[in-house]
Amino acid sequence: MNILQLLTSLNDDISVRAIAAYSKILKDNGYNSYVFAPLGRELSYFKRWGAEIVGQSASSEDIIYSKANIKKICEVVSSKSIVTIHVYDVAGYKAALQVNKTCSIKILMSMLSNPSEQTVMGRLNKTIFGEFIPQATTLVPSKTIYQELLTKYSRKNIGLFHVPVPVDLTIYDEKKISQERTISLATQWGMLEKPRHIIFAKAYFNSNKWQNQIIKLSVDLEKLPENIRPYIVVLKSHVNKKQLNEFEEKYLRNRNSVLCLMDHIADLEASLKLSSIYLELNPQNQYYSLDILNALAMGNAVVSWENDVNKELLPKEYHSYLTANGDIKKLIQTLTNLLQMNAQERNFTGRTSRNYVLNNFNIKNMEELLIDAYSTLSFRKAS
C-alpha cells in the first residue's frame, strides 16, 4: 500500500514526530510512505525515518490547501499510485476530501494534538460526518480517550484505533547529550556561579488562568531556603505579542528570582537533561502530551494536574505528583518535596522515568497497533 501523509504545519511537533515514527513502521512492514508538507528543516527528519518527500508548499508557513495545492496532491496521488491519505487535522482532512473528488482514495485520520471527545468527535460530527463520507477511520493516541470514544460511538460508522505516538529515543537519550552541551547551557543560565534546580515549565500564555498560576507559584517558591530554591524556566516562543505583553506586565509586578523567561532555547534536549522537574500545567482537562514523555525520557520527574490521561502517561510512582487542577498549595508542597530529594533519590527518579518510556513508548510497541489500523483500511472500499 502506498500512503501519502499530509501535514499542514511544522509547528505541530506531535504530528511531525508521529509522521516520522509511522514512516519507519510502514517502511519496515512493506508500505511506502510519502509526505506533503511545508518547507523546513524537519523534512530531513522525515527522510531519516524512511519517508519520501513528494510535495512541498513554497514556504515554511502553515499550508493552506488552495486549489493549486489540491492539484499538486492529486498529481502525487496519481503518479505514486497512492491508496491512502493519512491526515493529522481537520484542514488536512478537508483537503483529502477534495482530492477524493478526483481520485478514489481511503482516508486515515489522526487527531493527536488534543484528542478529547469534544474536539475529535464533537467537532468532526459538525464539520465532516454526514456531510461527506459514510465511514471514518481515526487514530487516537490516548488509551483512556480511546475507550471513552469507543463506548460512546460504538454504534456509529466510525473505525477507532488506539495508536500512541512513540518517543524518538534517538534524540531523547541523555547518554547522547554531551557534557559540553550541558555546560554551555548552564553557563548561559548562570548556573555555574549559582547552581540551582531547574523546573522546565510548558507555557500556555493564551490562558489567563495559567499566567496567574505560574506567577503565584514562582512568588511562593521564592520563599524556599536558598539551597533548594529553583529556577522555573519558561519559553516565550510560539506566543502572540498581546498575550506576552499581558504576561510580562504581571511578571514585572511580581518580579522574583525564581521565574526565568527565555526568548529561545536552541538545545531543548540539553535543557531537559539539565532540568530535574518538568512542570505541565495545561489549563485543559485532558491532553495527550508528547512533551511529558520526552521529559520522562530525559530523566525528569513530571508534575502536573490530575486527570485520566496524565495517569495513563505517567508511571504509577508519579501519580502522587498529580494535583487537583488549581490547587497551588498542594502543587508547591509536591515541588518542595522533589527539590528536597538527595542525590540517590533523584537518580532513582531519573531511572524510573527513562525505563518507563523505554518499555512503554518505543516504536516497536506501536508497530502492531498502527499496522492493524492500516490492514483494516486495506480491506475497505475507498471513500
Side-chain angles (χ1 to χ4, degrees):
M1 185 190 292
N2 293 345
I3 296 149
L4 178 65
Q5 305 192 71
L6 299 186
L7 183 64
T8 57
S9 171
L10 292 176
N11 289 329
D12 184 1
D13 182 68
I14 194 168
S15 293
V16 169
R17 302 298 181 189
I19 289 176
Y22 293 168
S23 295
K24 175 172 172 39
I25 291 172
L26 293 169
K27 185 177 180 180
D28 290 346
N29 285 271
Y31 295 84
N32 294 314
S33 176
Y34 304 93
V35 175
F36 189 99
L39 290 170
R41 62 180 177 80
E42 284 85 352
L43 295 185
S44 61
Y45 184 82
F46 299 147
K47 291 177 183 178
R48 183 161 64 86
W49 287 96
E52 180 181 339
I53 310 303
V54 290
Q56 303 168 357
S57 68
S59 74
S60 60
E61 300 298 319
D62 292 2
I63 286 183
I64 298 174
Y65 284 113
S66 61
K67 288 183 179 179
N69 272 332
I70 297 298
K71 184 179 179 181
K72 288 181 186 176
I73 296 169
C74 286
E75 290 171 355
V76 171
V77 168
S78 298
S79 64
K80 298 294 183 181
S81 301
I82 300 295
V83 175
T84 297
I85 292 184
H86 194 156
V87 299
Y88 293 82
D89 56 20
V90 171
Y93 201 99
K94 288 183 175 180
L97 292 170
Q98 292 299 315
V99 173
N100 190 50
K101 291 180 179 180
T102 304
C103 311
S104 182
I105 55 168
K106 300 166 186 174
I107 303 173
L108 182 64
M109 174 171 50
S110 286
M111 284 297 177
L112 302 173
S113 296
N114 186 12
S116 68
E117 186 276 329
Q118 183 179 359
T119 55
V120 177
M121 294 305 169
R123 185 177 177 191
L124 290 177
N125 273 328
K126 293 177 183 177
T127 59
I128 293 173
F129 296 140
E131 184 179 348
F132 291 103
I133 62 171
Q135 183 159 1
T137 300
T138 305
L139 305 187
V140 183
S142 166
K143 190 172 184 178
T144 302
I145 300 298
Y146 163 75
Q147 292 294 344
E148 292 176 6
L149 295 175
L150 199 61
T151 300
K152 188 166 185 177
Y153 293 96
S154 59
R155 296 182 182 179
K156 299 287 181 74
N157 208 17
I158 300 169
L160 287 168
F161 294 86
H162 166 236
V163 183
V165 180
V167 173
D168 184 355
L169 298 170
T170 65
I171 293 178
Y172 292 95
D173 181 352
E174 66 162 5
K175 294 178 182 178
K176 295 183 179 180
I177 311 297
S178 67
Q179 189 175 15
E180 288 77 14
R181 287 168 66 180
T182 53
I183 288 176
S184 173
L185 199 59
T187 303
Q188 177 188 334
W189 290 358
M191 285 185 63
L192 295 183
E193 296 81 13
K194 196 173 183 180
R196 282 196 189 182
H197 293 293
I198 299 294
I199 299 175
F200 199 94
K202 180 75 177 287
Y204 297 95
F205 291 107
N206 61 331
S207 166
N208 281 325
K209 186 176 181 180
W210 176 86
Q211 290 188 19
N212 295 331
Q213 287 171 343
I214 204 74
I215 291 290
K216 178 171 174 48
L217 186 63
S218 63
V219 169
D220 288 345
L221 290 177
E222 173 83 7
K223 301 170 186 175
L224 291 177
E226 190 171 355
N227 66 316
I228 62 168
R229 192 181 304 151
Y231 287 127
I232 298 179
V233 174
V234 176
L235 281 181
K236 294 193 287 186
S237 57
H238 303 307
V239 57
N240 70 47
K241 192 172 181 180
K242 182 182 177 182
Q243 292 168 351
L244 184 59
N245 287 341
E246 290 174 356
F247 182 77
E248 287 182 332
E249 284 180 16
K250 296 175 185 177
Y251 171 69
L252 291 172
R253 288 197 303 268
N254 300 273
R255 194 94 187 225
N256 58 78
S257 68
V258 169
L259 188 58
C260 303
L261 292 178
M262 297 284 182
D263 291 317
H264 175 69
I265 294 179
D267 196 338
L268 180 59
E269 296 80 36
S271 302
L272 289 174
K273 182 176 179 179
L274 201 59
S275 61
S276 55
I277 300 171
Y278 186 83
L279 188 62
E280 169 63 271
L281 302 182
N282 191 326
Q284 299 181 39
N285 289 329
Q286 293 189 326
Y287 186 84
Y288 182 93
S289 174
L290 191 58
D291 295 315
I292 283 181
L293 296 176
N294 292 340
L296 287 171
M298 295 302 292
N300 281 239
V302 174
V303 176
S304 187
W305 301 131
E306 183 175 4
N307 60 56
D308 289 340
V309 174
N310 281 341
K311 286 180 179 177
E312 173 191 330
L313 287 176
L314 295 173
K316 290 182 180 179
E317 293 89 342
Y318 286 6
H319 287 186
S320 61
Y321 302 162
L322 296 174
T323 304
N325 201 328
D327 189 345
I328 298 296
K329 186 176 180 180
K330 172 71 182 304
L331 187 65
I332 291 169
Q333 186 58 58
T334 298
L335 290 171
T336 301
N337 291 342
L338 286 168
L339 293 168
Q340 289 174 331
M341 281 183 172
N342 59 39
Q344 186 177 1
E345 291 171 325
R346 195 165 289 110
N347 288 336
F348 176 78
T349 299
R351 288 196 305 273
T352 299
S353 298
R354 284 188 292 276
N355 290 337
Y356 176 74
V357 173
L358 283 168
N359 293 330
N360 295 282
F361 291 92
N362 59 69
I363 287 181
K364 190 65 180 175
N365 285 356
M366 308 301 119
E367 186 167 343
E368 185 177 340
L369 296 169
L370 183 68
I371 295 305
D372 183 37
Y374 274 110
S375 297
T376 301
L377 264 182
S378 67
F379 291 105
R380 182 178 299 160
K381 291 182 179 179
S383 302

